[in-house]
Amino acid sequence: MDLLNKAKEFIDTVEIKAGEFVYDQKNNIKIAKVCSELKRNYEKLGRLCYRKCKNLVIDDNEFDATMLKIETLKEELECLRNGDVEYSSDSYVFEDGELVVDDNNQDLGE
């Protein structure tokens, strides 16, 4: 009977460790995706800044939206690295390109 209990404990331990491993790998994939998206947005911002420095016409709304996206992605990346599983950039509420905030000046998406 003792052997069966030890086997059950071993199986439970393996199951827990496997679950933790899968969670860590999924989180690493999410982090990689956010980093990739962040890189694309920084490149876009660089192109917009270059055009602005050369006095070429750019859409200020596009510039502002790119800046906001970068800030949102940086927050998401920080939360993912800290293990905050409740965070998702999809939860942000946007209205005309701006984050909607409540009366306490907190984002409604949080």
Side-chain angles (χ1 to χ4, degrees), residues 37-47 66 70-71 74:
E37 180 79 18
L38 192 56
K39 180 182 177 201
R40 280 194 298 272
N41 278 277
Y42 272 125
E43 289 171 351
K44 183 178 181 180
L45 181 62
R47 286 190 297 273
T66 303
I70 287 172
E71 291 303 314
K74 285 171 52 177

Side-chain angles (χ1 to χ4, degrees), residues 22-55:
V22 169
Y23 171 79
D24 289 343
Q25 294 308 313
K26 284 182 179 180
N27 197 39
N28 287 341
I29 291 170
K30 288 178 186 177
I31 289 172
K33 286 180 181 179
V34 170
C35 286
S36 175
E37 180 79 18
L38 192 56
K39 180 182 177 201
R40 280 194 298 272
N41 278 277
Y42 272 125
E43 289 171 351
K44 183 178 181 180
L45 181 62
R47 286 190 297 273
L48 291 169
C49 287
Y50 177 82
R51 290 181 60 83
K52 196 170 204 170
C53 288
K54 291 293 187 177
N55 293 324

Side-chain angles (χ1 to χ4, degrees), residues 72-83:
T72 304
L73 288 168
K74 285 171 52 177
E75 288 176 18
E76 183 175 2
L77 184 60
E78 181 180 340
C79 289
L80 286 170
R81 286 182 173 161
N82 292 335

Side-chain angles (χ1 to χ4, degrees), residues 1-104:
M1 202 58 155
D2 189 40
L3 182 62
L4 290 175
N5 288 337
K6 289 193 183 256
K8 184 178 181 326
E9 287 177 20
F10 176 74
I11 290 171
D12 290 342
T13 303
V14 169
E15 183 180 350
I16 290 169
K17 293 294 183 182
E20 291 172 356
F21 178 77
V22 169
Y23 171 79
D24 289 343
Q25 294 308 313
K26 284 182 179 180
N27 197 39
N28 287 341
I29 291 170
K30 288 178 186 177
I31 289 172
K33 286 180 181 179
V34 170
C35 286
S36 175
E37 180 79 18
L38 192 56
K39 180 182 177 201
R40 280 194 298 272
N41 278 277
Y42 272 125
E43 289 171 351
K44 183 178 181 180
L45 181 62
R47 286 190 297 273
L48 291 169
C49 287
Y50 177 82
R51 290 181 60 83
K52 196 170 204 170
C53 288
K54 291 293 187 177
N55 293 324
L56 299 172
V57 179
I58 66 164
D59 183 8
D60 286 334
N61 291 332
E62 183 179 9
F63 186 86
D64 292 341
T66 303
M67 290 288 293
L68 183 61
K69 182 68 175 175
I70 287 172
E71 291 303 314
T72 304
L73 288 168
K74 285 171 52 177
E75 288 176 18
E76 183 175 2
L77 184 60
E78 181 180 340
C79 289
L80 286 170
R81 286 182 173 161
N82 292 335
D84 184 4
V85 295
E86 296 296 320
Y87 185 86
S88 172
S89 62
D90 298 334
S91 66
Y92 276 102
V93 179
F94 289 93
E95 185 175 287
D96 299 329
E98 299 293 324
L99 282 173
V100 178
V101 293
D102 65 6
D103 295 332
N104 297 328

